[in-house]
Coordinates of all heavy atoms in Angstrom, one line a residue:
T1 N 7.6 18.0 -13.4 CA 8.6 16.8 -13.2 C 8.5 16.3 -11.8 O 8.8 15.1 -11.7 CB 10.0 17.2 -13.6 OG1 10.4 18.3 -12.7 CG2 10.1 17.6 -15.0
N2 N 8.2 17.0 -10.8 CA 8.1 16.5 -9.5 C 6.7 16.5 -8.9 O 6.5 16.4 -7.7 CB 9.0 17.4 -8.5 CG 10.4 17.2 -8.9 OD1 10.9 16.2 -9.3 ND2 11.2 18.3 -8.7
A3 N 5.7 16.6 -9.8 CA 4.3 16.6 -9.4 C 3.9 15.4 -8.6 O 2.9 15.4 -7.8 CB 3.4 16.9 -10.6
H4 N 4.5 14.3 -8.9 CA 4.2 13.0 -8.2 C 4.6 12.9 -6.8 O 4.0 12.1 -6.0 CB 4.8 11.8 -9.0 CG 6.3 11.8 -8.8 ND1 7.1 12.7 -9.6 CD2 7.1 11.1 -8.0 CE1 8.4 12.5 -9.2 NE2 8.4 11.5 -8.3
I5 N 5.5 13.8 -6.3 CA 5.9 13.7 -5.0 C 4.8 14.1 -4.0 O 4.2 15.1 -4.1 CB 7.1 14.7 -4.8 CG1 8.3 14.2 -5.6 CG2 7.5 14.8 -3.3 CD1 9.5 15.2 -5.6
G6 N 4.5 13.2 -3.1 CA 3.5 13.4 -2.1 C 2.1 13.0 -2.6 O 1.1 13.2 -1.9
T7 N 2.0 12.6 -3.9 CA 0.7 12.2 -4.4 C 0.6 10.8 -4.8 O -0.5 10.3 -5.1 CB 0.3 13.1 -5.6 OG1 1.3 13.0 -6.6 CG2 0.2 14.6 -5.1
T8 N 1.7 10.1 -4.9 CA 1.7 8.7 -5.3 C 2.2 7.8 -4.2 O 3.1 8.2 -3.4 CB 2.5 8.4 -6.6 OG1 3.8 8.9 -6.4 CG2 1.9 9.1 -7.8
L9 N 1.7 6.6 -4.1 CA 2.1 5.7 -3.1 C 2.8 4.5 -3.7 O 2.2 3.4 -4.0 CB 0.9 5.2 -2.3 CG 0.1 6.3 -1.6 CD1 -1.2 5.8 -1.0 CD2 0.9 7.0 -0.5
T10 N 4.1 4.7 -4.1 CA 4.9 3.6 -4.7 C 6.3 3.6 -4.1 O 6.7 4.5 -3.4 CB 5.0 3.8 -6.2 OG1 5.5 5.1 -6.5 CG2 3.6 3.8 -6.9
D11 N 7.0 2.6 -4.5 CA 8.4 2.4 -4.2 C 8.7 2.4 -2.7 O 9.3 3.4 -2.2 CB 9.3 3.5 -4.9 CG 9.3 3.3 -6.4 OD1 9.3 2.1 -6.8 OD2 9.3 4.3 -7.1
P12 N 8.2 1.5 -1.9 CA 7.6 0.3 -2.3 C 6.0 0.5 -2.3 O 5.5 1.4 -1.7 CB 8.0 -0.7 -1.2 CG 8.1 0.1 0.0 CD 8.6 1.4 -0.5
D13 N 5.4 -0.4 -3.1 CA 3.9 -0.4 -3.1 C 3.4 -0.8 -1.7 O 4.1 -1.6 -1.0 CB 3.3 -1.4 -4.1 CG 3.6 -0.9 -5.5 OD1 3.7 0.3 -5.7 OD2 3.8 -1.8 -6.4
I14 N 2.3 -0.3 -1.3 CA 1.7 -0.6 0.0 C 1.1 -2.0 -0.1 O 0.3 -2.3 -1.0 CB 0.7 0.4 0.5 CG1 1.4 1.8 0.7 CG2 0.0 0.0 1.8 CD1 0.5 2.9 0.9
D15 N 1.4 -2.9 0.9 CA 0.8 -4.2 0.9 C -0.5 -4.1 1.8 O -0.4 -4.3 3.1 CB 1.8 -5.2 1.5 CG 1.2 -6.6 1.5 OD1 0.0 -6.8 1.3 OD2 2.1 -7.6 1.7
F16 N -1.6 -3.7 1.2 CA -2.8 -3.5 2.0 C -3.3 -4.8 2.7 O -3.9 -4.7 3.7 CB -3.9 -2.9 1.1 CG -3.6 -1.5 0.7 CD1 -3.2 -1.2 -0.6 CD2 -3.8 -0.4 1.6 CE1 -3.0 0.1 -1.0 CE2 -3.5 0.9 1.2 CZ -3.1 1.1 -0.1
A17 N -3.1 -5.9 2.0 CA -3.5 -7.2 2.7 C -2.7 -7.4 4.0 O -3.3 -7.8 5.0 CB -3.2 -8.3 1.7
A18 N -1.4 -7.1 4.0 CA -0.7 -7.2 5.3 C -1.2 -6.3 6.3 O -1.3 -6.7 7.5 CB 0.8 -7.0 5.0
V19 N -1.5 -5.1 5.9 CA -2.1 -4.1 6.9 C -3.4 -4.6 7.5 O -3.6 -4.6 8.7 CB -2.3 -2.7 6.2 CG1 -3.0 -1.8 7.2 CG2 -0.9 -2.1 5.8
A20 N -4.3 -5.2 6.6 CA -5.6 -5.7 7.1 C -5.4 -6.9 8.0 O -6.0 -7.0 9.0 CB -6.4 -6.1 5.9
R21 N -4.4 -7.8 7.6 CA -4.2 -8.9 8.5 C -3.7 -8.5 9.9 O -4.0 -9.1 10.9 CB -3.1 -9.8 7.9 CG -3.7 -10.7 6.8 CD -2.6 -11.7 6.2 NE -2.9 -12.0 4.9 CZ -2.2 -11.5 3.8 NH1 -1.2 -10.7 4.0 NH2 -2.6 -11.8 2.6
G22 N -2.9 -7.4 9.9 CA -2.5 -6.8 11.2 C -3.6 -6.4 12.1 O -3.5 -6.3 13.3
F23 N -4.7 -6.1 11.5 CA -5.9 -5.7 12.2 C -6.9 -6.9 12.5 O -8.0 -6.7 12.9 CB -6.7 -4.6 11.5 CG -6.0 -3.2 11.7 CD1 -5.3 -2.7 10.6 CD2 -6.1 -2.5 12.8 CE1 -4.6 -1.5 10.8 CE2 -5.5 -1.3 13.0 CZ -4.8 -0.7 11.9
G24 N -6.4 -8.1 12.1 CA -7.3 -9.2 12.3 C -8.3 -9.5 11.2 O -9.2 -10.2 11.4
V25 N -8.2 -8.8 10.1 CA -9.1 -8.9 9.0 C -8.7 -10.0 8.0 O -7.5 -10.1 7.7 CB -9.3 -7.6 8.3 CG1 -10.2 -7.7 7.0 CG2 -9.9 -6.6 9.2
H26 N -9.6 -10.8 7.5 CA -9.2 -11.8 6.5 C -8.8 -11.0 5.2 O -9.5 -10.1 4.8 CB -10.4 -12.7 6.1 CG -10.1 -13.5 4.9 ND1 -9.5 -14.7 5.0 CD2 -10.4 -13.3 3.6 CE1 -9.4 -15.2 3.7 NE2 -9.9 -14.4 2.9
A27 N -7.6 -11.3 4.7 CA -7.1 -10.6 3.5 C -6.5 -11.5 2.6 O -5.8 -12.5 3.0 CB -6.2 -9.5 4.0
E28 N -6.6 -11.2 1.3 CA -5.9 -11.9 0.2 C -5.1 -11.0 -0.6 O -5.5 -9.8 -0.8 CB -7.0 -12.6 -0.7 CG -8.0 -13.4 0.1 CD -8.0 -14.8 -0.4 OE1 -7.3 -15.2 -1.3 OE2 -8.8 -15.6 0.2
G29 N -4.0 -11.4 -1.1 CA -3.2 -10.6 -2.0 C -1.9 -10.2 -1.4 O -1.5 -10.6 -0.3
P30 N -1.2 -9.3 -2.1 CA -1.6 -8.6 -3.3 C -1.7 -9.6 -4.5 O -0.8 -10.4 -4.7 CB -0.5 -7.6 -3.6 CG 0.5 -7.8 -2.5 CD 0.1 -8.9 -1.6

């Protein structure tokens, strides 16, 4: 029942585009 703890990246979902933009990379999305 708690197997997802530490293995899923949700709530909130990671905005990888925002992270990339922070590094100066062109990014689209999510």
Side-chain angles (χ1 to χ4, degrees):
T1 57
N2 293 326
H4 67 283
I5 295 173
T7 60
T8 56
L9 301 172
T10 58
D11 296 323
D13 292 328
I14 297 171
D15 186 346
F16 291 106
V19 173
R21 285 185 206 105
F23 285 102
V25 173
H26 172 82
E28 305 236 1

